[in-house]
Amino acid sequence: MAMRTIDDLDVAGKRVLVRADLNVPLKDGAITDDGRIRASVPTIEKLRAKGAKVIVSAHLGRPKGEVKPEFSLAPVAARLGELLGTEVAFATDTVGDSARATVDGLAGGGVALLENLRFEAGETSKDDAERGAFADELAALAEVYVGDGFGAVHRKHASVYDVPQRLPHAAGGLIATEVAVLKKLTEDVARPYAVVLGGSKVSDKLGVIDNLLGKADRILIGGGMVFTFLKAQGHEVGNSLLEEDQLGTVREYLRRAEENGVEFVLPVDIVAATAFAADADHDVVAADAIPADRLGLDIGPESGKLFASRLAGAKTVFWNGPMGVFEMEPYSHGTRAVAQGLIDSGAFTVVGGGDSAAAVRTLGFDESAFSHISTGGGASLEYLEGKTLPGLQALED
Ligand SMILES: Nc1ncnc2c1ncn2[C@@H]1O[C@H](COP(=O)(O)OP(=O)(O)O)[C@@H](O)[C@H]1O
Ligand SMILES: O=C(OP(=O)(O)O)[C@H](O)COP(=O)(O)O
């Protein structure tokens, strides 16, 4: 079904709630990559130009319904203001007195940012009534809703799914662009089609493999995903990230891959450290010989070469999830090798995910070297799986 765009809405002088994805990486309170904020600017600018009173809402991290100052969106409001070249009024709560007063103070063309949606338990609640009650409060702040947080459209959350059901709504430009590119990957994908998976949201993303086994020709596994596979093969993984309850599922994936002729590529070496720290002792060890008192924080150099060689013949590559803890220099080399492997492959390359996109930029790669950098990791994976995404479903007429 079709989604309305901003051009289909009358927004002049109206209060427009924009659900953006401003979930950016922070270090010591400072934004280390503002890609998602920059990606949200065009839709906000367009609404301002049409005279809307723009109320931006977003989440940061996973504070789980509690007010945690380290997850405040205040630094994001400041950066958004710099990028827009205008003051962004920051509400110190999400739907309370501050939010109402901030919204009341907006003139046409003005911009406000509400505090972290996930400070409110209703935002992420699985209980429809609790989520709905919070959605009522959010919707009461506005007259029109614009969904533009592509990175969060796979979440059945109040601001993503329930609010658009309560207000006239449309999709913002970012969602429209993301969907257009990803649609190509679901329709006529050029083969061989390789998918690289890594990162730390292992339980979220392992399930994606189930569906990819029928779609991809090659699946390369790095990052925090690796250790559930290594353990499933009977190897020691020390203190590495592990989804113990998924071992059976992973064994099944490996068996089906063989049956379906899908090539699974696992690392052959791992950078194993004594602690989750840049200055911890660390060594390259064989993937099947991780010492019991260590944890794997990156794929090793031989794995980097192996992965690049398996990307070399691909015509399409989708990559989500860094290969290691790239934020710390000693564990950034695997991610660098895979990024370079994508570029050298000459394939149609899509990089998806907040941290994956941030990794590409902070490691100094030119964004234009990739065919598309998506702001959503889990969202793009679930889109490629063919799943119904709540945030897209809710925007359909
Ligand atoms: N071996 C590992 N152990 C722990 N964390 C890891 C490991 N490899 C990668 N990571 C972390 O994964 C995070 C990104 O994961 P994720 O959120 O799933 O990716 P994206 O945001 O691109 O979808 C990064 O912060 C990175 O430090
Ligand atoms: O960072 C995000 O997703 P991603 O890491 O899959 O790209 C989105 O902001 C969604 O965040 P969530 O996975 O905490 O719901």
Side-chain angles (χ1 to χ4, degrees), residues 199-201 205 223-224 227 276 296-297 320-322 324-325 327 352-356 377:
S200 59
K201 293 179 180 172
K205 293 172 185 174
F227 309 100
F276 191 89
L297 294 181
N320 169 251
V325 184
E327 298 91 338
D355 287 304
S356 307

Side-chain angles (χ1 to χ4, degrees), residues 18-41:
V18 179
R19 186 13 167 138
D21 183 352
L22 304 177
N23 189 22
V24 291
L26 293 171
K27 193 170 185 217
D28 304 324
I31 296 164
T32 54
D33 179 78
D34 65 0
R36 277 184 167 152
I37 310 177
R38 283 189 286 114
S40 303
V41 162

Side-chain angles (χ1 to χ4, degrees), residues 4-11 15-21 40 42-44 46-47 50 52-57 142-150 153 159-160 163-164 167-176 391 395:
R4 265 190 299 263
T5 70
I6 295 172
D7 294 327
D8 302 321
L9 293 176
D10 173 18
V11 297
R15 288 172 280 123
V16 179
L17 184 74
V18 179
R19 186 13 167 138
D21 183 352
S40 303
T43 292
I44 297 171
K46 188 162 187 181
L47 288 167
K50 285 171 171 278
K53 300 171 180 175
V54 186
I55 309 158
V56 184
S57 63
E143 295 156 279
V144 175
Y145 174 92
V146 171
D148 209 32
F150 178 73
V153 289
S159 65
V160 177
V163 178
L167 292 173
H169 52 261
L174 178 62
I175 281 194
L395 291 177

Side-chain angles (χ1 to χ4, degrees), residues 14 35 62 127 181-182 193 218 242 261 285 308 313 324 341 371 383 396:
K14 291 192 177 158
R62 293 176 171 177
D127 179 75
V181 174
L182 293 172
Y193 176 25
R218 221 167 268 167
L242 179 66
V285 300
S371 309
Y383 186 92
E396 285 171 355

